[in-house]
Amino acid sequence: MTEISRCSICERRRADESEFCELHEAARRNIDQACQKWLDAYEEGLSRSEFLQRIMENDATGEAAVEVASHLLGKLNGAPAP
Amino acid sequence: MKTTLIITEKPDAAEHVSSALHPKGKPAKLNVNGVPFFEIKLDDRRILVCSALGHLYAVDEKLPTRRSFYPVWDFTWKPKHQVERGQQRQEKWLTSIVQIAKEADEFVNACVAPGTLILTSRGEVSISDFTRGPASINASDPEKDEVLTLRNLSDVPSNYRIARCVQLQPKEWGIDCYELATRSGRRIKATEDHRFMTSRGWRTLQDLRTSEKVAVLPVPHLPAAEVNEATLVTEEQIWDLLRSFEEKQSKAPHSKYRYRPEQYFEAQNLRHEGLTYREIANQTGLGRRTVQHWLGDHRTPYTVRNPAVEQLKNLGLVPLRLNSGKIHAVTRVLGAVFADGCLWQSTTMWYACGVVVTCERSGGADEVLRDLQSLGFKARKRTVVSKGCINNRTFVQRSEEVRCNSLALWLMLRALGAPSGSKTDQAYEIPSWLMTAPKRLGYEFLSTYLGGELTVPTNPQVHPRSFNSPEIRFNKRENLATNGRRFALQLSSLLSSFGVKVTRIDISQSGVQRKDGVRTVSVRIGISNSAESLENLLSRIPVQYCSRKRIVGDLIAEYCRMKKMTGARRIAPYREWARSAKKGLEKSFLIWDTVLEVSKVHCSDVRDLTIEKAHTYVANGFLTHNCDFDIEGSLIGYTILKYACGGADQRAKRMKFSTLTTKDLRESYENMLPRLDFPLAYAGMCRHEVDWLYGVNLSRALTQSAYRASQQYATLSTGRVQGPTLRYVVEREREVSSFVPIPYWTIAARVDVDGVEVEAEFEHERLGRKSEAQKIAAAASGKWGKVENLDSKKFRIRPAVPFDLSALQSEAYRHFGFTPRASLGIAERLYLDAMISYPRTSSQKLPPTVGYENILRGLSERPEYEKNAKLLLEQGGLKPNEGRKEDPAHPAIYPTGNGANRKLEAREQKVYDLIVKRFMASFCGTALKQSEKATIEVASHRFFLRGSRILDKGWIGFYEPYAKFEEIMLPPLTVGQEVRFAVVRSEEKFSQPPPRFNPSSLLKLMEEVGIGTKATRADIIDTLYRRGYITDERIVATPLAFQVIDVLSQHCPRVVDVKFTHELEEMMDRIERGEEEREHVVMETVKNLRPIVEELKLREQEIGRELSKTIKAMRIAERTFKTPCPQCGATIQVIRSLRTKKRFIGCSGYFQKQQCRFSLPLPQMGDLTLLDKRCPECGFQMIQVRIRGRRPMISCPQCFVNRPKRETTTAEALSKISPHGS
């Protein structure tokens, strides 16, 4: 039986060439796309960790996106992923 | 005495049929085992009428196996009560039918003969050319899969897709064929039951009477298409046009089209030779930064891949050849540009250009829009009210304008020879390629050119059977008169190729005095008013893009044709003839022709087309109705006759009716067809069998995998409709779950107008930068603005259309929160009480046969509807505002006007009220609304004040409280008035994720994509809830749904794809046409499914592990509280005692070291759900208990324990369990 590689956040199967499953990979892509738009919008020099923190606190952010943001923030801060 | 048994699909139909067949309308109502049936005793015959109760038979496995066993391939049809649980009513029904059964009569089919010509956008095509299914026809050219027809009588003929074509031998079916001949010489052969549009509505051919009016569509004699592959527009021509703007380009530094491709390639070559950027710049004359930008970043400049050229290439318009599928639409647009349209180009931005076509308000703009969209361009239509002044006389002109802002379209039309800018002020000619192109293109060009420029002939009083000569007129600058004459000569030459005689070309001084003082001449082309020339002009080149001219032109052409046939002395004067030919069809392209004869003919081969949406087609000029297929109805009858009536299906007849009126029912009884519609029934059987094979095997595979992995049972299911529906929900859930909001800012402002504060909206809805928003707010706050403009518009709101089932379900959800399934259940109960018509309908049409007046009279007896019903009755001329959707089997939902036999429940009363008010509203006039807009400028920013009010309530008054319009009154304002911006602030907002589905919107989506039927969609959604795939009213897909969709997408993607339904539809079509055997389709299904199910079985353990893990996690989550234990902080759960089997709330800490003994009691009856709500008093998570037949109880378990004690009975305690909620 072949070993199935699992998503770093949930137990689902990883998407191709990604550390996440399809759902979390989609969330990661959305975060990357949104990051530039946030930086443009605020102009005042928003750091990536601030951006991640703010999207995590936002009610409109989807559940998977919050999980990915938290995972990325953990990585940025050098803490182990939750 | 012989006994005839008539089996209807539904109980109410049985009642109506028996009443219609009884001479006095009073059949005897009997019953067997409580199942009602009707008896009619005639002189020579006894008729028994009983009904089925939907499907009484269903597919099931042939050999009895365990319900968990799979794969299963052998199946048979069994009584439904043996297959499904809880079908006792069906069992009783079937037993009674078996007892009553003696004989049965059924079904009919309708078709037209193969020589018939069918109107298409390619001209008239023989019906025998449509011998195959649509999928095989449309592969290369979608136009070949369409016919040109009308959906409603007042529509402009449009393309509609052919759903299926059928070929049958009428002799085999025992159907007679007839030939219809009309006074204008039109003829058609068709089967007796084929329906034609008459002044009495849709009537079968057999029912047509001599001298009766039938609707015909004057069909243009389109020139035959010629094979010509010459190229009209090449890519190089487009590039040449682009390069002609070189001078302008250099003035537009931001232009995307600034450089030539050669310059880029030259720079690239020089770089390869080892030159530096500076050297390349010096050598080529390009800027150094440009060179660096191109070569440094390895970017390709726009010049090389020009977006406009790329767009034309992608749309297949470059290179444009004479045999291109789009050439007809292109030529039509070109004709319009030469007439009332123009190519425009901005003076400041040379690349901002496009096409504008102006049409009369009578219609035509939609045709332009359709053509532009078919070419692949985005265009928009708007009504333009323009004030003009010619020779000091002011006038107001209302027209419709179609605008397409596209450089690509502009370039293509320019390359084809269209003039750009004002046509009066420049010299142009008819493009030379058009003069030598196939005649069909000349027709397309002239038809739209004439639509704009032709003055239709009038009928003078003194010569009532003749017409004035038509004219084509246009203006030119005086110095361009020669060019005007040349253009007129070219037009005459084109017209003469269609047999149209030009009698004169006059050039005279135009009476128009232009503001710039330039003198103009008027060029007039006079066309002969001889009958032949007029007929050629109006029937060979019928105008397009102008409905008024087309309608009048068709009428005159028809009159000229009739005059030629009957002689000038025998035909009525034009105006008298036209009144009769157009009575009731004033705004339609159709005209009435008179039936001369309907005679029986021999016909060995008949064909029929089924047209999607329109359900009509134009055959030999006649507007005819396609066959009505009711697969499920056929199958219900077939299975009962075959299995319950001892194989009576072979000798049964078919009685077919589309309305339950006495007249229709009697006619259908008298004209019964000798046998059942077997292909239709076989197609229906096939669908059930294929669905069963997929559903049973895949559902059992899922269920068993999960069970074997965890030894815990959970029903998991999927199917042809369930699979794709769940996939839509899961995909939406993915979008919502992975959504990341983007910030934006809005400007909120309040304006002080003479002491009254009014909300103002900023000109831009969203601002992307915080600083920009703050700057605007600071600039406007506390400042005085000036009213720049005041605008007021009145518009009419059309009445709501009658309900089809999905509209009723959606409206009931919106106003009362009833789920689609609940609404259907209520509507069915109202229907069984004879208070409303059959609710499972997708029609939005109410034929007059339902008896509007009688219904309103019935409603007027109820005090709540009395006033409105009487108003409508007094008003007279009842005509409902119908919607577009049609259902051949049933009309839209309407109240019958009968009173209730019992007291209606509150929910039933609500739905009934909704139906009655909607029905009455559909007969009312439009509502008149006025909107007001004031534009205020402050600190170079514009703000708007908007107000709206209802001037005339119209139908809204009848549909209250379900139709509401908020009125906002603006204080009196004048242009130039100064107002103060009291508050202006920027507000930070965030984009929102797409909305989750609710049961109503999911149902609507299923309808849009065409999965499920009106009867099954609500049940499918309910099943998804029951299986635990979805939860909540705002539908949330559970992890189990994700897992199931993952498994199915990986192993059996077919079952979650909507395409599967479409493939099955196609297979069924082939069975109906006799091209495919039902058994073969089923065998193919088994062949496709077998390896999938075998693989699932092989990987059962792996799949089961994943599924069971999810199920387990969900079950734990379902019974775990989010509130921690108040004593130890561990999680608390719903636990069932092993000893007493009772449920209670316990702490997970009990099993750990601390042995926490916290517990709370729970009600022992009903389904328990943990809610997301917290108790407002103690903050504990609340629960909901649902007991069948009672209102759900919402309660806080902690407060329930701590409540003040008093002595109560157990029943009281249960009913009063809710201290905080309902």
Side-chain angles (χ1 to χ4, degrees):
Chain A
M1 204 192 305
T2 53
E3 196 188 338
I4 301 163
S5 39
R6 302 280 168 187
C7 170
S8 305
I9 296 172
C10 65
E11 282 291 290
R12 285 193 210 104
R13 213 179 272 261
R14 271 187 192 186
D16 297 338
E17 295 174 13
S18 167
E19 62 166 317
F20 301 123
C21 64
E22 259 181 55
L23 176 65
H24 288 112
E25 177 56 24
R28 191 202 55 78
R29 274 198 306 271
N30 288 351
I31 288 175
D32 284 351
Q33 281 166 15
C35 185
Q36 192 52 48
K37 290 179 185 167
W38 276 67
L39 297 182
D40 288 349
Y42 286 102
E43 291 171 310
E44 65 221 20
L46 195 71
S47 71
R48 186 163 168 86
S49 58
E50 275 171 340
F51 157 70
L52 292 172
Q53 194 62 47
R54 285 173 79 165
I55 60 167
M56 277 167 66
E57 286 161 9
N58 197 305
D59 290 341
T61 311
E63 216 174 301
V66 171
E67 286 165 356
V68 175
S70 157
H71 177 85
L72 296 176
L73 196 62
K75 268 187 167 179
L76 268 180
N77 297 338
Chain B
M1 186 188 280
K2 280 189 177 178
T3 303
T4 303
L5 172 65
I6 300 175
I7 300 172
T8 64
E9 194 185 331
K10 293 274 172 191
D12 83 311
E15 196 172 340
H16 279 97
V17 169
S18 54
S19 302
L21 299 186
H22 193 273
K24 290 179 183 170
K26 288 176 184 168
K29 191 172 181 180
L30 311 171
N31 79 74
V32 181
N33 307 326
V35 173
F37 71 99
F38 298 88
E39 186 188 48
I40 305 148
K41 281 184 181 165
L42 301 175
D43 296 340
D44 58 337
R45 186 171 283 267
R46 178 173 166 246
I47 303 173
L48 300 176
V49 188
C50 72
S51 76
L53 202 63
H55 284 284
L56 293 180
Y57 283 84
V59 188
D60 194 21
E61 51 195 310
K62 201 170 186 177
L63 300 169
T65 57
R66 277 181 295 118
R67 290 282 165 187
S68 56
F69 179 80
Y70 77 99
V72 274
W73 308 115
D74 290 336
F75 57 82
T76 185
W77 284 78
K78 287 183 187 169
K80 207 172 176 183
H81 61 267
Q82 291 176 15
V83 180
E84 290 174 25
R85 274 191 226 155
Q87 303 280 336
Q88 291 84 354
R89 205 163 162 224
Q90 272 79 355
E91 182 180 4
K92 201 163 75 172
W93 222 271
L94 192 61
T95 322
S96 308
I97 291 177
V98 173
Q99 276 188 36
I100 303 164
K102 295 290 176 196
E103 283 176 40
D105 295 343
E106 287 209 346
F107 272 47
V108 80
N109 222 318
C111 319
V112 295
T116 310
L117 295 172
I118 304 298
L119 184 63
T120 71
S121 53
R122 297 168 288 147
E124 286 192 297
V125 175
S126 170
I127 195 168
S128 47
D129 287 356
F130 299 106
T131 48
R132 292 165 298 152
S136 48
I137 298 172
N138 67 8
S140 58
D141 186 357
E143 269 197 5
K144 285 184 179 171
D145 188 15
E146 294 172 339
V147 295
L148 207 58
T149 187
L150 306 98
R151 195 164 173 170
N152 295 310
L153 296 187
S154 55
D155 283 354
V156 176
S158 312
N159 279 327
Y160 287 94
R161 199 170 161 270
I162 302 167
R164 55 168 79 81
C165 32
V166 185
Q167 178 180 6
L168 288 169
Q169 275 78 42
K171 224 178 183 181
E172 252 185 44
W173 292 88
I175 308 168
D176 288 329
C177 288
Y178 287 82
E179 186 174 43
L180 164 66
T182 61
R183 200 161 283 171
S184 68
R186 290 181 173 89
R187 282 174 181 274
I188 188 170
K189 284 179 192 169
T191 49
E192 58 195 5
D193 50 0
H194 202 93
R195 288 189 286 164
F196 290 78
M197 186 62 196
T198 72
S199 49
R200 292 184 290 146
W202 290 105
R203 287 281 170 249
T204 58
L205 179 52
Q206 203 183 22
D207 191 24
L208 293 188
R209 306 172 198 148
T210 311
S211 305
E212 185 167 18
K213 305 274 185 204
V214 283
V216 293
L217 184 74
V219 175
H221 304 287
L222 295 188
E226 292 168 36
V227 181
N228 193 331
E229 291 187 353
T231 305
L232 289 179
V233 180
T234 60
E235 191 180 335
E236 196 46 43
Q237 277 174 284
I238 302 289
W239 274 112
D240 286 344
L241 272 171
L242 279 169
R243 282 176 203 132
S244 70
F245 296 118
E246 212 157 63
E247 196 168 321
K248 288 179 185 173
Q249 283 173 32
S250 59
K251 286 177 191 164
H254 301 297
S255 160
K256 291 174 178 179
Y257 318 100
R258 195 172 166 189
Y259 302 102
R260 277 178 286 146
E262 296 86 49
Q263 288 174 294
Y264 170 72
F265 293 121
E266 193 187 348
Q268 222 177 22
N269 290 338
L270 291 173
R271 183 68 179 160
H272 287 311
E273 286 168 20
L275 269 67
T276 62
Y277 294 151
R278 188 181 295 275
E279 284 165 345
I280 296 169
N282 289 339
Q283 205 159 326
T284 55
L286 292 163
R288 193 172 60 81
R289 281 180 65 191
T290 307
V291 174
Q292 196 170 353
H293 180 71
W294 285 358
L295 305 176
D297 295 347
H298 303 290
R299 284 187 194 159
T300 311
Y302 282 113
T303 324
V304 179
R305 293 177 70 82
N306 186 294
V309 178
E310 289 305 306
Q311 188 186 359
L312 288 173
K313 275 170 37 184
N314 291 340
L315 295 175
L317 293 169
V318 160
L320 184 67
R321 295 197 175 86
L322 280 173
N323 62 352
S324 157
K326 292 184 171 176
I327 189 68
H328 295 155
V330 169
T331 322
R332 282 196 291 272
V333 175
L334 187 72
V337 169
F338 273 84
D340 278 347
C342 96
L343 294 186
W344 64 270
Q345 190 180 22
S346 163
T347 46
T348 49
M349 292 174 287
W350 67 269
Y351 44 85
C353 39
V355 179
V356 176
V357 177
T358 310
C359 299
E360 281 188 15
R361 290 188 78 200
S362 65
D366 286 331
E367 293 173 67
V368 185
L369 206 60
R370 208 174 51 209
D371 273 342
L372 287 172
Q373 282 165 354
S374 74
L375 292 176
F377 295 102
K378 283 182 190 161
R380 59 192 161 86
K381 182 182 86 168
R382 64 180 187 133
T383 305
V384 180
V385 182
S386 52
K387 284 180 187 169
C389 179
I390 296 182
N391 302 347
N392 295 325
R393 278 191 316 179
T394 53
F395 61 90
V396 177
Q397 191 183 9
R398 288 184 173 80
S399 55
E400 288 199 323
E401 182 188 280
V402 179
R403 180 175 280 264
C404 175
N405 300 339
S406 164
L407 171 63
L409 179 63
W410 188 93
L411 287 168
M412 185 190 66
L413 292 172
R414 279 294 286 151
L416 284 170
S420 174
S422 163
K423 293 196 285 290
T424 308
D425 299 333
Q426 59 179 298
Y428 60 87
E429 291 176 13
I430 288 184
S432 54
W433 62 267
L434 196 61
M435 302 302 287
T436 52
K439 213 171 158 188
R440 174 66 193 271
L441 294 187
Y443 153 77
E444 301 288 2
F445 177 84
L446 282 176
S447 67
T448 51
Y449 180 79
L450 296 178
E453 304 288 54
L454 181 74
T455 315
V456 281
T458 50
N459 172 238
Q461 294 268 4
V462 280
H463 300 292
R465 292 175 179 84
S466 301
F467 299 90
N468 292 331
S469 87
E471 264 188 3
I472 298 169
R473 258 187 254 172
F474 58 92
N475 284 358
K476 278 279 178 196
R477 277 172 93 122
E478 202 171 35
N479 59 343
L480 295 173
T482 323
N483 173 259
R485 180 177 290 278
R486 195 177 309 132
F487 183 77
L489 283 168
Q490 285 169 334
L491 267 182
S492 320
S493 157
L494 263 184
L495 287 168
S496 63
S497 64
F498 288 90
V500 179
K501 208 170 147 192
V502 171
T503 49
R504 62 195 157 81
I505 296 173
D506 290 341
I507 298 183
S508 57
Q509 279 297 331
S510 147
V512 179
Q513 292 166 9
R514 288 178 28 157
K515 276 183 190 168
D516 56 9
V518 174
R519 295 174 68 172
T520 56
V521 290
S522 173
V523 181
R524 291 169 177 226
I525 306 169
I527 294 167
S528 164
N529 62 347
S530 69
E532 192 188 349
S533 178
L534 272 184
E535 196 194 332
N536 286 343
L537 173 72
L538 299 169
S539 70
R540 291 191 181 182
I541 328 168
V543 300
Q544 300 192 66
Y545 293 180
C546 182
S547 300
R548 180 186 64 87
K549 289 181 189 172
R550 172 71 182 267
I551 290 170
V552 177
D554 281 351
L555 206 60
I556 296 174
E558 185 74 8
Y559 184 77
C560 291
R561 211 160 70 85
M562 295 284 287
K563 193 168 137 186
K564 204 161 74 183
M565 273 176 60
T566 54
R569 288 183 184 173
R570 294 178 65 191
I571 193 164
Y574 170 73
R575 290 183 190 201
E576 194 183 309
W577 175 88
R579 254 196 307 276
S580 150
K582 272 300 205 191
K583 196 176 175 186
L585 295 175
E586 286 79 9
K587 287 185 178 173
S588 170
F589 281 51
L590 295 165
I591 57 172
W592 296 122
D593 199 349
T594 312
V595 175
L596 206 60
E597 189 185 17
V598 180
S599 52
K600 208 168 182 175
V601 286
H602 170 75
C603 199
S604 57
D605 178 14
V606 287
R607 321 275 172 120
D608 186 51
L609 303 175
T610 300
I611 312 301
E612 275 183 6
K613 295 177 185 169
H615 299 291
T616 63
Y617 57 95
V618 179
N620 282 2
F622 293 94
L623 182 68
T624 73
H625 203 287
N626 60 214
C627 291
D628 295 330
F629 287 89
D630 185 3
I631 290 179
E632 294 304 316
S634 308
L635 181 61
I636 290 171
Y638 172 77
T639 49
I640 292 175
L641 289 161
K642 183 173 170 128
Y643 301 114
C645 304
D649 55 309
Q650 293 302 320
R651 58 178 195 280
K653 295 179 183 175
R654 166 117 193 195
M655 181 179 155
K656 195 184 176 190
F657 45 86
S658 53
T659 57
L660 291 175
T661 56
T662 307
K663 191 167 168 286
D664 268 19
L665 290 168
R666 282 191 183 162
E667 273 174 17
S668 66
Y669 179 73
E670 280 154 21
N671 300 306
M672 266 189 286
L673 282 186
R675 53 198 289 187
L676 297 184
D677 205 340
F678 288 108
L680 217 57
Y682 293 154
M685 281 182 102
C686 179
R687 173 153 68 190
H688 282 255
E689 288 160 0
V690 171
D691 278 355
W692 182 85
L693 282 167
Y694 269 92
V696 159
N697 284 301
L698 295 177
S699 298
R700 285 185 184 179
L702 292 174
T703 308
Q704 282 309 303
S705 308
Y707 179 71
R708 284 189 186 141
S710 64
Q711 292 302 310
Q712 283 190 336
Y713 184 80
T715 309
L716 301 178
S717 63
T718 189
R720 183 175 57 87
V721 184
Q722 225 184 90
T725 309
L726 185 60
R727 208 182 78 168
Y728 282 121
V729 178
V730 167
E731 274 171 8
R732 177 60 59 90
E733 189 64 38
R734 279 201 173 116
E735 278 178 62
V736 174
S737 187
S738 61
F739 182 78
V740 180
I742 308 291
Y744 67 90
W745 284 263
T746 57
I747 305 290
R750 290 190 72 79
V751 177
D752 187 339
V753 184
D754 300 332
V756 181
E757 275 203 6
V758 190
E759 273 192 23
E761 69 184 54
F762 185 55
E763 58 183 319
H764 301 294
E765 208 181 322
R766 290 175 175 211
L767 296 164
R769 286 166 197 265
K770 187 180 178 181
S771 57
E772 190 187 357
Q774 284 172 338
K775 222 180 274 173
I776 293 165
S781 187
K783 302 276 165 43
W784 286 83
K786 198 171 171 187
V787 178
E788 284 225 311
N789 190 24
L790 289 171
D791 198 9
S792 166
K793 267 184 201 166
K794 284 181 189 168
F795 53 93
R796 297 197 167 270
I797 309 166
R798 284 176 66 108
V801 297
F803 275 136
D804 61 313
L805 178 62
S806 60
L808 172 67
Q809 286 171 319
S810 150
E811 201 77 339
Y813 180 81
R814 195 157 72 95
H815 296 294
F816 318 127
F818 296 169
T819 62
R821 187 182 158 84
S823 306
L824 176 62
I826 294 169
E828 284 193 330
R829 285 204 294 279
L830 292 171
Y831 162 71
L832 289 173
D833 283 342
M835 293 189 70
I836 62 164
S837 62
Y838 187 58
R840 292 188 186 206
T841 174
S842 41
S843 169
Q844 293 174 330
K845 302 214 180 280
L846 284 174
T849 43
V850 305
Y852 311 138
E853 282 193 19
N854 285 342
I855 295 170
L856 288 170
R857 263 189 221 110
L859 293 173
S860 67
E861 285 168 18
R862 297 176 68 122
E864 64 267 42
Y865 308 123
E866 186 185 355
K867 189 181 142 205
N868 285 346
K870 280 187 177 165
L871 262 175
L872 286 173
L873 284 168
E874 279 163 21
Q875 186 182 300
L878 294 168
K879 198 177 167 219
N881 174 45
E882 295 177 323
R884 288 190 158 196
K885 284 156 80 179
E886 268 186 292
D887 184 338
H890 308 281
I893 303 171
Y894 60 90
T896 54
N898 296 341
N901 302 327
R902 59 184 172 90
K903 191 173 182 301
L904 295 183
E905 286 174 18
R907 286 156 67 91
E908 289 171 342
Q909 183 58 48
K910 280 180 181 172
V911 172
Y912 181 69
D913 186 61
L914 187 66
I915 294 170
V916 171
K917 286 186 173 163
R918 179 77 161 222
F919 171 77
M920 290 201 287
S922 69
F923 289 94
C924 301
T926 52
L928 186 62
K929 196 178 172 186
Q930 186 176 37
S931 71
E932 291 161 339
K933 182 177 156 192
T935 311
I936 304 171
E937 192 170 307
V938 60
S940 311
H941 299 297
R942 286 203 300 176
F943 286 80
F944 304 120
L945 301 183
R946 288 184 199 273
S948 66
R949 58 194 169 126
I950 300 281
L951 299 177
D952 178 7
K953 269 192 170 180
W955 64 275
I956 293 172
F958 283 69
Y959 197 46
E960 275 174 340
Y962 309 115
K964 272 188 209 156
F965 285 92
E966 203 184 333
E967 294 199 340
I968 303 166
M969 304 293 278
L970 284 186
L973 287 162
T974 50
V975 176
Q977 186 179 341
E978 297 217 325
V979 290
R980 199 174 71 85
F981 279 75
V983 184
V984 183
R985 61 170 190 274
S986 66
E987 288 181 351
E988 184 188 47
K989 289 183 179 166
F990 294 92
S991 58
Q992 293 298 309
R996 285 202 158 91
F997 289 112
N998 59 39
S1000 168
S1001 60
L1002 185 58
L1003 191 109
K1004 222 176 232 174
L1005 178 81
M1006 290 169 79
E1007 195 184 350
E1008 269 169 29
V1009 294
I1011 50 172
T1013 65
K1014 53 192 181 250
T1016 59
R1017 287 180 196 127
D1019 279 341
I1020 295 284
I1021 297 174
D1022 215 51
T1023 307
L1024 296 181
Y1025 274 107
R1026 277 205 316 275
R1027 300 282 179 255
Y1029 294 153
I1030 57 176
T1031 57
D1032 294 348
E1033 202 175 331
R1034 311 293 306 170
I1035 297 175
V1036 179
T1038 62
L1040 181 62
F1042 276 91
Q1043 202 68 54
V1044 167
I1045 289 296
D1046 280 352
V1047 169
L1048 293 174
S1049 306
Q1050 202 184 340
H1051 299 284
C1052 187
R1054 204 170 137 83
V1055 84
V1056 288
D1057 196 344
V1058 186
K1059 269 188 205 162
F1060 178 36
T1061 292
H1062 299 151
E1063 279 170 24
L1064 190 66
E1065 295 287 341
E1066 214 170 275
M1067 280 192 264
M1068 284 166 58
D1069 285 349
R1070 287 210 295 271
I1071 297 173
E1072 278 172 41
R1073 291 197 298 270
E1075 291 170 11
E1076 186 71 273
E1077 293 285 321
R1078 174 185 130 236
E1079 290 78 8
H1080 181 245
V1081 174
V1082 174
M1083 290 287 282
E1084 278 293 305
T1085 306
V1086 173
K1087 210 168 115 187
N1088 289 332
L1089 193 58
R1090 195 186 288 271
I1092 296 167
V1093 180
E1094 277 168 5
E1095 198 202 331
L1096 284 175
K1097 190 138 197 155
L1098 213 66
R1099 303 181 61 183
E1100 205 173 56
Q1101 258 190 336
E1102 183 195 329
I1103 294 167
R1105 240 191 337 263
E1106 305 266 331
L1107 285 171
S1108 62
K1109 207 188 284 175
T1110 315
I1111 294 168
K1112 207 172 165 185
M1114 271 179 62
R1115 282 186 178 163
I1116 291 172
E1118 267 171 24
R1119 53 171 211 264
T1120 306
F1121 281 80
K1122 286 175 188 156
T1123 329
C1125 171
Q1127 286 177 11
C1128 72
T1131 51
I1132 45 174
Q1133 288 178 335
V1134 175
I1135 298 169
R1136 199 169 274 279
S1137 159
L1138 288 173
R1139 190 169 57 84
T1140 61
K1141 308 287 181 215
K1142 285 188 174 178
R1143 63 186 176 196
F1144 64 97
I1145 299 171
C1147 177
S1148 59
Y1150 177 78
F1151 304 101
Q1152 289 155 16
K1153 278 182 187 170
Q1154 64 263 40
Q1155 289 216 332
C1156 177
R1157 302 190 73 83
F1158 172 79
S1159 72
L1160 288 171
L1162 282 172
Q1164 299 304 316
M1165 285 164 67
D1167 293 332
L1168 183 76
T1169 318
L1170 310 190
L1171 299 177
D1172 267 341
K1173 255 188 196 170
R1174 298 290 176 113
C1175 170
E1177 287 186 17
C1178 68
F1180 200 84
Q1181 192 172 349
M1182 295 177 81
I1183 57 164
Q1184 177 183 277
V1185 179
R1186 275 176 183 270
I1187 299 176
R1188 205 176 168 165
R1190 292 195 191 186
R1191 286 169 65 195
M1193 297 178 294
I1194 297 171
S1195 157
C1196 166
Q1198 192 159 261
C1199 291
F1200 177 70
V1201 174
N1202 299 335
R1203 78 197 188 286
K1205 297 271 190 276
R1206 72 178 181 89
E1207 283 188 10
T1208 51
T1209 61
T1210 318
E1212 267 179 342
L1214 265 174
S1215 62
K1216 288 174 186 171
I1217 196 167
S1218 165
H1220 306 303
S1222 53

